[in-house]
Amino acid sequence: MRFIEQYIQLFDSNERSNLIEAYHDRVTFSTSFWFYPDENAKQHRFDIGSSRNLMRIPPQERNGKRVHYGKEAVVKFLAEEFPETNHLMETINADVIHHSPQMLSFTITGLYEESRSSKSFKVTRLFSRNFTAVYQGAGIVIISEQLSFSNANPDRRGRMVANGSKRSAAALSSQPSVSTVSAPVDETAQNAMVQRFMVDSGMNAHYSRECLVVHNWNYEEAGKKFTILKAEGKIPPDAYC
């Protein structure tokens, strides 16, 4: 999913302030840290001042005190308080939990390396990020996020990296030699694709645009998915209104 790739690239950069475009004006955001003791326990600890792990914070602070509201507050926290990161892309998994014409919920999990003030000090974290997004313009914006993370011991890291490398190799071997993925950023080109998809599919503008957005404006893949869903009787009647 192109959105996830772009988000992680910005998150790992020194320009996290640019993530503001990925969030809704009224977004809510919280973090939760859980800790697995090991031989490097002191190094793996995290400043849990902003963590909303309900097992670790007092009852009087559970009612929203550790939740960030609004995209400015969220991005300020990520840019100024959250440590520098380097995601290990071969370990990343993405799962769609819910998809409707109004919203999209998905989860990404994996590993990242966390850097502190000293560049030589790095800790590997296991993370899970739960996103709820709504459609806006030609894309999506995050309206809710829960970021959970923990320390990852060397054995766990080794297994996840090895499994990720196997998945990457399998995916590459199954790819066609020529890629047909196209993601036009020009609004005029996108509108033209929507009009064409409406003619080919018979669907209205809303559903045609949604189908193209979900498939990263790859017209061929969007058409294949539409054909499959139509054959299975899964296209809602109001898609043709």
Side-chain angles (χ1 to χ4, degrees), residues 24-60:
H24 191 275
D25 290 343
R26 293 179 291 176
V27 63
T28 59
F29 174 93
S30 63
T31 62
S32 178
F33 176 72
W34 72 98
F35 177 71
Y36 293 122
D38 61 16
E39 69 277 7
N40 297 313
K42 291 184 178 180
Q43 290 185 338
H44 286 165
R45 287 197 178 278
F46 181 80
D47 179 5
I48 61 172
S50 61
S51 174
R52 199 166 180 264
N53 186 336
L54 299 182
M55 300 294 292
R56 298 284 184 176
I57 61 176
Q60 65 271 21

Side-chain angles (χ1 to χ4, degrees), residues 4 7-13 16 82-92 108-114 125 127 129 147:
I4 295 175
Y7 183 95
I8 291 177
Q9 287 173 3
L10 283 174
F11 200 91
D12 285 346
S13 73
R16 283 185 185 164
F82 204 82
E84 295 180 11
T85 58
N86 177 42
H87 285 73
L88 306 181
M89 297 304 294
E90 66 271 26
T91 69
I92 302 297
I108 60 173
T109 59
L111 297 173
Y112 66 76
E113 292 179 338
E114 174 189 298
R125 301 291 190 198
F127 76 91
R129 303 184 76 153
L147 166 59

Side-chain angles (χ1 to χ4, degrees), residues 41-218:
K42 291 184 178 180
Q43 290 185 338
H44 286 165
R45 287 197 178 278
F46 181 80
D47 179 5
I48 61 172
S50 61
S51 174
R52 199 166 180 264
N53 186 336
L54 299 182
M55 300 294 292
R56 298 284 184 176
I57 61 176
Q60 65 271 21
E61 294 189 21
R62 294 178 183 176
N63 190 21
K65 287 190 176 181
R66 302 195 184 194
V67 178
H68 303 275
Y69 297 96
K71 62 183 182 180
E72 288 83 6
V74 171
V75 173
K76 184 176 186 295
F77 168 75
L78 294 177
E80 298 181 6
E81 298 184 45
F82 204 82
E84 295 180 11
T85 58
N86 177 42
H87 285 73
L88 306 181
M89 297 304 294
E90 66 271 26
T91 69
I92 302 297
N93 281 312
D95 294 292
V96 176
I97 301 170
H98 173 77
H99 175 229
S100 73
Q102 290 77 37
M103 61 181 248
L104 175 69
S105 296
F106 58 97
T107 298
I108 60 173
T109 59
L111 297 173
Y112 66 76
E113 292 179 338
E114 174 189 298
S115 299
R116 301 294 180 86
S117 56
S118 172
K119 296 293 184 179
S120 61
F121 177 79
K122 290 185 179 180
V123 173
T124 301
R125 301 291 190 198
L126 173 68
F127 76 91
S128 174
R129 303 184 76 153
N130 298 313
F131 297 96
T132 299
V134 294
Y135 295 100
Q136 182 171 288
I140 59 175
V141 289
I142 301 163
I143 197 167
S144 176
E145 179 185 356
Q146 294 175 302
L147 166 59
S148 302
F149 57 100
S150 178
N151 53 302
N153 61 44
D155 290 341
R156 181 107 185 228
R157 170 181 171 144
R159 289 196 301 271
M160 292 185 69
V161 170
N163 291 337
S165 299
K166 291 178 181 178
R167 288 196 308 271
S168 298
L172 286 173
S173 65
S174 65
Q175 291 297 315
S177 57
V178 178
S179 174
T180 59
V181 175
S182 175
V185 294
D186 180 73
E187 186 175 355
T188 301
Q190 292 178 350
N191 289 336
M193 289 180 69
V194 171
Q195 293 298 319
R196 178 185 166 194
F197 204 87
M198 290 173 63
V199 172
D200 291 344
S201 68
M203 293 197 301
N204 59 36
H206 174 78
Y207 277 86
S208 294
R209 178 176 292 275
E210 179 187 344
C211 190
L212 289 164
V213 168
V214 168
H215 292 87
N216 198 29
W217 295 94
N218 184 324

